C-alpha cells in the first residue's frame, strides 16, 4: 500500500467517525474489513513503518509531558494516536514533537487532571487484526496471515536509532527541548 493510500484510509475513517459519531477505531476496523485481506496486511505493514518511525526519545518526551508520564505500552498507544490524527499532524510531530503544543486537544488537556486519554489510542494499534476478526470471526486469523505475508525474514533485529536520550524528569531539559509542551504541562514559559 502506497503511503498516500494509507493516509486516505485514515482520513476516510476520520470522516466516517465525524459523520456517525462512532469511535475512530471502530470506523477504521469496519472500513478495513471492506477491503481485500491483502490490502489489510499492506495497511498493517505501512502502519508499523509509521509507528516505528516515531519511536524516538523526543516523541516519547512529548508523550511523557502530555500523559503526565508514559510507560513503554503507553508510548505504543501514543504513537498510534498520532497516526490517528492524520497525515498533516503526523508529519508535524515527526518533524517537531513540540508542535503538539498547538494541537487543540493537547491544549485543552493541559487544563484537566486526568489526561491519559489524550492521543493515547490503544485500539488503533489493533485495527488490522480487528478487521480480520470481523471478516473471519477468528481472533487469530490476522496473525496467521501476517506471518505468511511477512515471511520468515519479515522481522528485523536492527537496533532503532531513537536519537539522544535525556531525563524526562528534568524540567529544565524538557523546557529546553519541548518549550511549548513544557509551558502547557510544567508551567514553564517558552
Amino acid at each position: 500500500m502506497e503511503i498516500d493510500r494509507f493516509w486516505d484510509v485514515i482520513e476516510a475513517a476520520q470522516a466516517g467517525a465525524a459523520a456517525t459519531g462512532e469511535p475512530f477505531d471502530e470506523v477504521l476496523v469496519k472500513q478495513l474489513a471492506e477491503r481485500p485481506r491483502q490490502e489489510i496486511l499492506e495497511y498493517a505493514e505501512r502502519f508499523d513503518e509509521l509507528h516505528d518511525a516515531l519511536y524516538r526519545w523526543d516523541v516519547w518526551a512529548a508523550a511523557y509531558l502530555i500523559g503526565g508520564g508514559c510507560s513503554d505500552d503507553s508510548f505504543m498507544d501514543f504513537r498510534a494516536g498520532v497516526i490517528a490524527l492524520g497525515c498533516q499532524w503526523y508529519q508535524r510531530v515527526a518533524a517537531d514533537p513540540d508542535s503538539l503544543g498547538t494541537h487543540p486537544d493537547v491544549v485543552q488537556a493541559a487544563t484537566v487532571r486526568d489526561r491519559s486519554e489524550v492521543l493515547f489510542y490503544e485500539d488503533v494499534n489493533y485495527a488490522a487484526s480487528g478487521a480480520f476478526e470481523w471478516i473471519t470471526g477468528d481472533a487469530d486469523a490476522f496473525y496467521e496471515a501476517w506471518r505468511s505475508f511477512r515471511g520468515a525474514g519479515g522481522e528485523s533485529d536492527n537496533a532503532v536509532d531513537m536519537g539522544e536520550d535525556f531525563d524526562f524528569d528534568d524540567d529544565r531539559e524538557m523546557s529546553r527541548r519541548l518549550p511549548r509542551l513544557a509551558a502547557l504541562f510544567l508551567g514553564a514559559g517558552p
Side-chain angles (χ1 to χ4, degrees):
M1 176 177 284
E2 296 296 323
I3 191 69
D4 290 340
R5 183 73 186 122
F6 175 88
W7 289 119
D8 289 345
V9 170
I10 295 295
E11 290 169 12
Q14 289 173 333
T20 64
E22 292 178 74
F24 168 81
D25 63 288
E26 292 177 17
V27 173
L28 180 59
V29 166
K30 288 176 189 174
Q31 289 184 357
L32 285 172
E34 295 172 355
R35 300 174 184 282
R37 293 177 191 194
Q38 178 70 21
E39 194 171 332
I40 299 169
L41 294 166
E42 291 169 0
Y43 163 89
E45 182 176 47
R46 191 67 61 221
F47 179 90
D48 285 354
E49 289 170 6
L50 293 165
H51 197 260
D52 291 350
L54 293 177
Y55 193 72
R56 302 185 336 232
W57 290 117
D58 58 346
V59 178
W60 202 331
Y64 190 87
L65 285 172
I66 293 167
C70 185
S71 67
D72 293 346
D73 286 345
S74 292
F75 189 44
M76 285 178 52
D77 302 344
F78 180 82
R79 291 179 287 147
V82 170
I83 292 169
L85 293 176
C87 183
Q88 290 182 345
W89 273 104
Y90 178 89
Q91 290 175 343
R92 283 173 140 177
V93 172
D96 176 20
D98 195 41
S99 66
L100 282 168
T102 63
H103 190 281
D105 292 343
V106 174
V107 171
Q108 183 180 11
T111 64
V112 297
R113 187 173 196 83
D114 178 20
R115 54 187 189 259
S116 62
E117 297 299 316
V118 176
L119 297 186
F120 292 81
Y121 210 153
E122 179 180 13
D123 292 339
V124 174
N125 287 309
Y126 309 108
S129 62
F132 258 78
E133 184 173 0
W134 182 284
I135 293 167
T136 66
D138 179 1
D140 296 324
F142 170 77
Y143 302 102
E144 293 165 10
W146 184 248
R147 279 190 295 279
S148 176
F149 176 74
R150 295 296 288 188
E155 296 300 319
S156 171
D157 290 331
N158 295 339
V160 175
D161 180 9
M162 292 182 64
E164 183 183 354
D165 188 6
F166 56 97
D167 184 359
F168 296 171
D169 291 317
D170 181 338
D171 289 357
R172 284 187 186 189
E173 188 66 14
M174 293 292 266
S175 295
R176 184 178 74 77
R177 292 177 184 260
L178 302 163
R180 286 176 280 200
L181 289 170
L184 286 171
F185 295 102
L186 299 176

